[in-house]
Amino acid sequence: IPYLTVPSLREQMAVPGRNWVVKTWNVIKSCGGIRGTFFKLIRGDELRAGTYIGSDEFGNDYYENKKYFIARDRWVSYKMEGNMFCYDATQIPPGWHRWMSHMTDDPPTAVKTEELPFYMKHTPSYSGTDKCYVPYTTTPPKIHSWKPPQVSAS
């Protein structure tokens, strides 16, 4: 009798909204649990789940998820050191920048780029930090400010 059959476990688990709950829990697990998710949200990052691709010499981790659309399917998780709010795109080395911008499909971990003798070692931008470059003048000023005459106290 069809109305007396017990639904299978798969049919019982097919509750509306269950897929959303499972996806959300997987994202929370991939972000480092509830604590890692909390710090990621405070930092202002998005919560995403993806495949770990590799890391660079600065400790940044790179991920990919083909289910996201093309401009958002690759991302970097910057290394948290010192102030966790100080990070920017200049902390990505050129090889990883090529992969992040879809100039190549192969990450630097799979295909090494050719090191030419004129390449410089990558350094991030230090603008706004204590390490920033402050220029100074080496020429004497051509115009001097006026100094009022000193009145002698006699």
Side-chain angles (χ1 to χ4, degrees), residues 50-64:
T51 306
Y52 176 77
I53 301 297
S55 63
D56 61 15
E57 62 267 17
F58 299 113
N60 303 325
D61 297 325
Y62 297 88
Y63 298 92
E64 182 176 33

Side-chain angles (χ1 to χ4, degrees), residues 14 41 72 84 103 105-106 136 142:
L41 286 174
R72 312 265 303 162
M84 64 189 249
M103 290 187 234
D105 290 331
D106 301 320
Y136 62 93
K142 295 180 182 176

Side-chain angles (χ1 to χ4, degrees), residues 136-140:
Y136 62 93
T137 181
T138 58
T139 60

Side-chain angles (χ1 to χ4, degrees), residues 27-28 31 33-48 80 84-85 87:
V27 169
I28 289 173
C31 290
I34 294 174
R35 183 171 187 251
T37 302
F38 175 73
F39 283 119
K40 220 175 228 318
L41 286 174
I42 285 179
R43 193 174 184 192
D45 287 346
E46 293 182 61
L47 299 179
R48 301 185 198 179
M80 284 199 234
M84 64 189 249
F85 299 107
Y87 59 92

Side-chain angles (χ1 to χ4, degrees), residues 86-88 91 124-134:
C86 290
Y87 59 92
D88 62 33
Q91 295 172 341
S125 173
Y126 293 117
S127 298
T129 65
D130 295 339
K131 298 178 184 178
C132 70
Y133 172 73
V134 180

Side-chain angles (χ1 to χ4, degrees), residues 9 11 69 89 111 114:
L9 184 60
E11 291 170 351
F69 60 93
V111 176
E114 183 181 354

Side-chain angles (χ1 to χ4, degrees), residues 108-125:
T109 54
V111 176
K112 296 291 182 191
T113 56
E114 183 181 354
E115 293 293 327
L116 298 175
F118 54 84
Y119 282 176
M120 294 175 56
K121 186 177 180 308
H122 176 73
T123 56
S125 173

